[in-house]
Amino acid sequence: MSKEKKKRRFIKSRRFWGVLALLALLIWLNNTSLFYAGDQGFKLLAHRGLAQTYDAANTDWSTNTAAIIHEPEHDYLENTIASMQIAFDYGADVVEFDVKLSADKILAVFHDSPISYRTDREGEVGDYTMEELRQMDIGYGYTADGGKTFPFRGKGVGLMPTIDEVFDAFPDKELLIHVKDGNVETYEVLWSKLRSLPQERLAQLTVYGDDEGIAYLREQSPSLRLLSMAMMKKALLQYELIGFTGYVPKALHNMELHLPLKYARALWGWPYKFNKRMEAVNTRVVIVEGNGQLSSGFDTEESVASIPRKYEGYVWTNRIDRLGSLTD
């Protein structure tokens, strides 16, 4: 090969790598959060209000968590009006609660299946009318010592609320509704309530649940914030393919994202620019602890220290009483 040809090849090669380096620099500049102060701080999402806690490392989806609670540090029971109120008092920006459909088609605020985990009855929420559900003791099954003592027995009678009572108690607060029934009828009943609300109130509500039910709600409303696992995986895959450009795919609009922190770091623009991009399309970003399973939250001072300084989204916690004081 002549010297002239070698020279031309060298120049072409240098131009190629120069263009590639420039492209890489532009992508980095478009996605880095390095130059942003990010001093506004994160917001708090209280899981089930203020609830009794347990060691999530020793559980799976079928575990009776009421039977393995830590020694109680407070008297609040999850999914009650009182637990939600104290969560807001401690500084929660959003409170999450669970709903199931009763036998008389009322949305009861309760988590477990079966109900015998926490109450003094057997069966499912759907086996009872709302009036019968109100008579149950939702504190019946809690124990921290393997069943030797039950510190909340007799204290939970009449405390299971309806979704209407939650809406009435917190008419201007942000709420995250988790539909625990795996049937579309529950979503239909929920939508019959949501569709009558003014748009400004709907903007304060988010719903998550199973894929089929959330797909039904999306058909009813293109703007309501929603989340299902299938929806989130599909949307984030699209974003990973083209998000380096700053473009947010339509699939990511009007959503809520529950992201394990260790995976969120791989998203284009994380943390500051990613959060701002999501805000612009009415999508709320929530980070969770660990791998995102079993409602792991940022519940200790040590776990909070791992949150990026420039993160301004929401943080999932089971201990709003602790985090509220840490973020004052």
Side-chain angles (χ1 to χ4, degrees), residues 24-137:
L25 176 62
L26 291 174
I27 291 174
W28 179 79
L29 288 173
N30 195 41
N31 289 280
T32 183
S33 298
L34 183 63
F35 306 114
Y36 297 88
D39 56 358
Q40 294 182 7
F42 54 77
K43 305 174 185 68
L44 298 173
L45 192 159
H47 180 219
R48 304 185 204 169
L50 179 58
Q52 300 300 317
T53 59
Y54 52 88
D55 184 1
N58 296 322
T59 62
D60 58 33
W61 293 113
S62 63
T63 301
N64 178 0
T65 56
I68 56 170
I69 61 169
H70 297 136
E71 188 66 29
E73 297 179 39
H74 58 77
D75 294 331
Y76 293 95
L77 299 175
E78 65 178 49
N79 281 317
T80 61
I81 298 294
S83 74
M84 297 178 203
Q85 182 61 66
I86 193 65
F88 282 123
D89 291 345
Y90 273 120
D93 298 280
V94 183
V95 164
E96 185 263 7
F97 64 93
D98 307 293
V99 295
K100 290 189 154 196
L101 196 62
S102 69
D104 50 348
K105 311 306 178 186
I106 295 174
L107 290 169
V109 180
F110 191 74
H111 174 273
D112 279 354
S113 177
I115 59 172
S116 58
Y117 284 179
R118 278 174 170 76
T119 79
D120 51 345
R121 304 289 179 88
E122 300 288 335
E124 303 279 346
V125 166
D127 297 332
Y128 298 88
T129 66
M130 194 64 222
E131 184 58 35
E132 292 170 330
L133 291 168
R134 289 187 191 280
Q135 297 171 18
M136 297 181 186
D137 180 4

Side-chain angles (χ1 to χ4, degrees), residues 282-321:
N282 190 37
T283 289
R284 184 161 61 195
V285 180
V286 183
I287 54 173
V288 298
E289 257 278 63
N291 61 6
Q293 300 297 312
L294 300 172
S295 305
S296 298
F298 291 86
D299 300 334
T300 65
E301 189 170 354
E302 292 75 21
S303 65
V304 170
S306 68
I307 299 172
R309 181 175 61 86
K310 297 178 182 180
Y311 176 68
E312 296 182 353
Y314 291 76
V315 169
W316 183 281
T317 183
N318 300 295
R319 291 302 304 262
I320 187 63
D321 52 331

